[in-house]
Amino acid sequence: MFSGHPERIINLVMACAFFFVLLQAIKLLHSKKHFLTIVFFVFAISCGLLSTLYWGVYEFLRPETRMPFAANELCEWALFLLYASSLRAVFPKSASFEKKIIPVALFAAANVVLWIAWSGEWVQDILTGLSMGWFLCVITSCLCLTCALSTAEWVGAGTVSFLLILGQSLTFFTPEPVSGALDKGCSTLLLVAMLWLILKTVWTLKKEKQVQKGLSLSYAAFAWGAVFMYMSGGTAYMIASMLTVSCYFLMLWAIKEEVAEG
């Protein structure tokens, strides 16, 4: 069943992770502290689980068959919007305007352009970009509210994002050896940034005991994982998927700490 199909193994691992995190999150519903945050988080995880199960079954029944518009896309849109709502329940002021939101919105728009260039699926790519773009903007606002990143870290994040868009764009205009090298370079940037976000989240929650900073960073790590997966294929996609799985546990950890702190 799984021999020669690592994608199916990844889907199974992701489904198990979603299910475990969902059960743990449901246990938090008895608490009146940050109840809406937990509810939105539970619904988001449920959407992730349904999307993963749907895609796993589809891959099993119709392997190597491309579907222009899959039902699991609806779950992914809802997932981004629900995660954004769960953050806003903790940080009501996250709807306020921050200057840093402008480059983040441009980054999301650039991602949409790349997705369309890769797949040619205008409607689903635009809708995915809108939902993920809103999620990224909410995260950015929360990171600013909690001062989770230093000025140097913001500059680094902006530089990496710019290099990613530039590198992926150049792959359309360069010959195979160069485009392959650019793609690997982008994958390396995505990986390094992902690992840095995960480690920074763990450090913030465990060592610094800065719960709200850690909460914002855990969501940022997940969002970057989504960018990583959408920009990747093959081995890079599998690595991105596995790292993103760890973010579900980071978000759950952060929410538990936030509930405990009140």
PDB file of all heavy atoms in Angstrom, residues 2 29 66 84 112 144 162 166 177 230-231 242 249 255 257:
ATOM      1  N   PHE A   2       1.944   1.260   0.791  1.00  0.00           N
ATOM      2  CA  PHE A   2       2.777   2.452   0.904  1.00  0.00           C
ATOM      3  C   PHE A   2       4.107   2.316   0.175  1.00  0.00           C
ATOM      4  O   PHE A   2       4.850   3.286   0.055  1.00  0.00           O
ATOM      5  CB  PHE A   2       3.052   2.761   2.381  1.00  0.00           C
ATOM      6  CG  PHE A   2       1.834   3.109   3.161  1.00  0.00           C
ATOM      7  CD1 PHE A   2       1.312   2.238   4.094  1.00  0.00           C
ATOM      8  CD2 PHE A   2       1.183   4.309   2.948  1.00  0.00           C
ATOM      9  CE1 PHE A   2       0.179   2.564   4.818  1.00  0.00           C
ATOM     10  CE2 PHE A   2       0.047   4.646   3.662  1.00  0.00           C
ATOM     11  CZ  PHE A   2      -0.454   3.768   4.593  1.00  0.00           C
ATOM     12  N   LEU A  29     -11.197  22.762  25.888  1.00  0.00           N
ATOM     13  CA  LEU A  29     -12.463  23.475  25.761  1.00  0.00           C
ATOM     14  C   LEU A  29     -13.179  23.658  27.090  1.00  0.00           C
ATOM     15  O   LEU A  29     -14.070  24.503  27.199  1.00  0.00           O
ATOM     16  CB  LEU A  29     -13.383  22.741  24.774  1.00  0.00           C
ATOM     17  CG  LEU A  29     -12.975  22.825  23.302  1.00  0.00           C
ATOM     18  CD1 LEU A  29     -13.846  21.912  22.458  1.00  0.00           C
ATOM     19  CD2 LEU A  29     -13.067  24.258  22.802  1.00  0.00           C
ATOM     20  N   ARG A  66      -4.155  14.488 -11.944  1.00  0.00           N
ATOM     21  CA  ARG A  66      -4.248  15.884 -11.537  1.00  0.00           C
ATOM     22  C   ARG A  66      -5.699  16.331 -11.508  1.00  0.00           C
ATOM     23  O   ARG A  66      -6.449  16.104 -12.460  1.00  0.00           O
ATOM     24  CB  ARG A  66      -3.464  16.785 -12.514  1.00  0.00           C
ATOM     25  CG  ARG A  66      -3.489  18.263 -12.188  1.00  0.00           C
ATOM     26  CD  ARG A  66      -2.727  18.545 -10.909  1.00  0.00           C
ATOM     27  NE  ARG A  66      -2.709  19.964 -10.596  1.00  0.00           N
ATOM     28  CZ  ARG A  66      -2.247  20.472  -9.472  1.00  0.00           C
ATOM     29  NH1 ARG A  66      -1.741  19.678  -8.559  1.00  0.00           N
ATOM     30  NH2 ARG A  66      -2.261  21.764  -9.255  1.00  0.00           N
ATOM     31  N   ALA A  84      -6.165  32.397  11.621  1.00  0.00           N
ATOM     32  CA  ALA A  84      -6.103  33.855  11.786  1.00  0.00           C
ATOM     33  C   ALA A  84      -7.085  34.312  12.858  1.00  0.00           C
ATOM     34  O   ALA A  84      -6.764  35.163  13.696  1.00  0.00           O
ATOM     35  CB  ALA A  84      -6.393  34.540  10.459  1.00  0.00           C
ATOM     36  N   VAL A 112       1.160  34.106  -5.256  1.00  0.00           N
ATOM     37  CA  VAL A 112       0.019  33.754  -6.108  1.00  0.00           C
ATOM     38  C   VAL A 112       0.424  33.757  -7.575  1.00  0.00           C
ATOM     39  O   VAL A 112       0.056  32.857  -8.343  1.00  0.00           O
ATOM     40  CB  VAL A 112      -1.151  34.725  -5.871  1.00  0.00           C
ATOM     41  CG1 VAL A 112      -2.273  34.465  -6.885  1.00  0.00           C
ATOM     42  CG2 VAL A 112      -1.698  34.574  -4.459  1.00  0.00           C
ATOM     43  N   CYS A 144       4.366  42.090  15.534  1.00  0.00           N
ATOM     44  CA  CYS A 144       4.684  43.480  15.871  1.00  0.00           C
ATOM     45  C   CYS A 144       4.167  43.837  17.266  1.00  0.00           C
ATOM     46  O   CYS A 144       4.874  44.486  18.053  1.00  0.00           O
ATOM     47  CB  CYS A 144       4.065  44.421  14.838  1.00  0.00           C
ATOM     48  SG  CYS A 144       4.802  44.342  13.194  1.00  0.00           S
ATOM     49  N   PHE A 162      12.432  38.351  -0.221  1.00  0.00           N
ATOM     50  CA  PHE A 162      12.747  38.958  -1.526  1.00  0.00           C
ATOM     51  C   PHE A 162      13.583  38.016  -2.380  1.00  0.00           C
ATOM     52  O   PHE A 162      13.305  37.834  -3.582  1.00  0.00           O
ATOM     53  CB  PHE A 162      13.495  40.280  -1.317  1.00  0.00           C
ATOM     54  CG  PHE A 162      13.986  40.897  -2.595  1.00  0.00           C
ATOM     55  CD1 PHE A 162      13.113  41.570  -3.441  1.00  0.00           C
ATOM     56  CD2 PHE A 162      15.330  40.797  -2.968  1.00  0.00           C
ATOM     57  CE1 PHE A 162      13.562  42.132  -4.640  1.00  0.00           C
ATOM     58  CE2 PHE A 162      15.783  41.355  -4.152  1.00  0.00           C
ATOM     59  CZ  PHE A 162      14.894  42.023  -4.993  1.00  0.00           C
ATOM     60  N   LEU A 166      12.598  36.426  -6.020  1.00  0.00           N
ATOM     61  CA  LEU A 166      13.515  36.684  -7.128  1.00  0.00           C
ATOM     62  C   LEU A 166      14.042  35.367  -7.703  1.00  0.00           C
ATOM     63  O   LEU A 166      14.038  35.159  -8.930  1.00  0.00           O
ATOM     64  CB  LEU A 166      14.678  37.551  -6.651  1.00  0.00           C
ATOM     65  CG  LEU A 166      15.764  37.868  -7.686  1.00  0.00           C
ATOM     66  CD1 LEU A 166      15.183  38.659  -8.851  1.00  0.00           C
ATOM     67  CD2 LEU A 166      16.925  38.628  -7.032  1.00  0.00           C
ATOM     68  N   PRO A 177      20.352  23.973 -16.103  1.00  0.00           N
ATOM     69  CA  PRO A 177      21.349  23.889 -15.015  1.00  0.00           C
ATOM     70  C   PRO A 177      21.224  25.044 -14.026  1.00  0.00           C
ATOM     71  O   PRO A 177      21.328  24.857 -12.818  1.00  0.00           O
ATOM     72  CB  PRO A 177      22.692  23.925 -15.753  1.00  0.00           C
ATOM     73  CG  PRO A 177      22.374  23.466 -17.138  1.00  0.00           C
ATOM     74  CD  PRO A 177      21.012  24.001 -17.425  1.00  0.00           C
ATOM     75  N   TYR A 230       4.138  24.951  -0.578  1.00  0.00           N
ATOM     76  CA  TYR A 230       3.595  25.434  -1.845  1.00  0.00           C
ATOM     77  C   TYR A 230       4.688  25.758  -2.862  1.00  0.00           C
ATOM     78  O   TYR A 230       4.439  25.764  -4.061  1.00  0.00           O
ATOM     79  CB  TYR A 230       2.735  26.680  -1.617  1.00  0.00           C
ATOM     80  CG  TYR A 230       1.408  26.411  -0.938  1.00  0.00           C
ATOM     81  CD1 TYR A 230       0.722  27.428  -0.282  1.00  0.00           C
ATOM     82  CD2 TYR A 230       0.833  25.144  -0.958  1.00  0.00           C
ATOM     83  CE1 TYR A 230      -0.497  27.200   0.331  1.00  0.00           C
ATOM     84  CE2 TYR A 230      -0.380  24.897  -0.341  1.00  0.00           C
ATOM     85  CZ  TYR A 230      -1.048  25.926   0.298  1.00  0.00           C
ATOM     86  OH  TYR A 230      -2.258  25.698   0.907  1.00  0.00           O
ATOM     87  N   MET A 231       5.897  26.037  -2.373  1.00  0.00           N
ATOM     88  CA  MET A 231       6.994  26.368  -3.274  1.00  0.00           C
ATOM     89  C   MET A 231       7.868  25.169  -3.619  1.00  0.00           C
ATOM     90  O   MET A 231       8.865  25.312  -4.324  1.00  0.00           O
ATOM     91  CB  MET A 231       7.891  27.446  -2.652  1.00  0.00           C
ATOM     92  CG  MET A 231       7.437  28.861  -2.860  1.00  0.00           C
ATOM     93  SD  MET A 231       8.765  30.024  -2.448  1.00  0.00           S
ATOM     94  CE  MET A 231       7.968  31.573  -2.871  1.00  0.00           C
ATOM     95  N   MET A 242       7.061  17.449   6.829  1.00  0.00           N
ATOM     96  CA  MET A 242       7.417  16.924   8.133  1.00  0.00           C
ATOM     97  C   MET A 242       7.712  18.043   9.139  1.00  0.00           C
ATOM     98  O   MET A 242       7.347  17.954  10.314  1.00  0.00           O
ATOM     99  CB  MET A 242       8.624  15.992   8.015  1.00  0.00           C
ATOM    100  CG  MET A 242       8.340  14.686   7.300  1.00  0.00           C
ATOM    101  SD  MET A 242       7.114  13.641   8.154  1.00  0.00           S
ATOM    102  CE  MET A 242       5.611  14.079   7.268  1.00  0.00           C
ATOM    103  N   PHE A 249       2.195  20.939  16.825  1.00  0.00           N
ATOM    104  CA  PHE A 249       2.478  20.708  18.243  1.00  0.00           C
ATOM    105  C   PHE A 249       2.984  21.983  18.921  1.00  0.00           C
ATOM    106  O   PHE A 249       2.683  22.222  20.092  1.00  0.00           O
ATOM    107  CB  PHE A 249       3.502  19.585  18.393  1.00  0.00           C
ATOM    108  CG  PHE A 249       3.021  18.254  17.886  1.00  0.00           C
ATOM    109  CD1 PHE A 249       3.306  17.834  16.595  1.00  0.00           C
ATOM    110  CD2 PHE A 249       2.252  17.438  18.697  1.00  0.00           C
ATOM    111  CE1 PHE A 249       2.857  16.614  16.126  1.00  0.00           C
ATOM    112  CE2 PHE A 249       1.789  16.213  18.226  1.00  0.00           C
ATOM    113  CZ  PHE A 249       2.085  15.801  16.947  1.00  0.00           C
ATOM    114  N   ILE A 255      -0.705  27.504  22.882  1.00  0.00           N
ATOM    115  CA  ILE A 255      -2.081  27.760  23.330  1.00  0.00           C
ATOM    116  C   ILE A 255      -2.289  27.227  24.746  1.00  0.00           C
ATOM    117  O   ILE A 255      -2.926  27.873  25.578  1.00  0.00           O
ATOM    118  CB  ILE A 255      -3.087  27.109  22.345  1.00  0.00           C
ATOM    119  CG1 ILE A 255      -3.102  27.906  21.034  1.00  0.00           C
ATOM    120  CG2 ILE A 255      -4.495  27.082  22.951  1.00  0.00           C
ATOM    121  CD1 ILE A 255      -3.965  27.311  19.963  1.00  0.00           C
ATOM    122  N   GLU A 257      -0.025  27.007  27.047  1.00  0.00           N
ATOM    123  CA  GLU A 257       0.659  27.932  27.933  1.00  0.00           C
ATOM    124  C   GLU A 257      -0.148  29.214  28.108  1.00  0.00           C
ATOM    125  O   GLU A 257      -0.225  29.764  29.208  1.00  0.00           O
ATOM    126  CB  GLU A 257       2.046  28.258  27.362  1.00  0.00           C
ATOM    127  CG  GLU A 257       3.030  27.095  27.355  1.00  0.00           C
ATOM    128  CD  GLU A 257       3.406  26.651  28.754  1.00  0.00           C
ATOM    129  OE1 GLU A 257       3.528  27.512  29.653  1.00  0.00           O
ATOM    130  OE2 GLU A 257       3.564  25.440  28.959  1.00  0.00           O
TER     131      GLU A 257
END
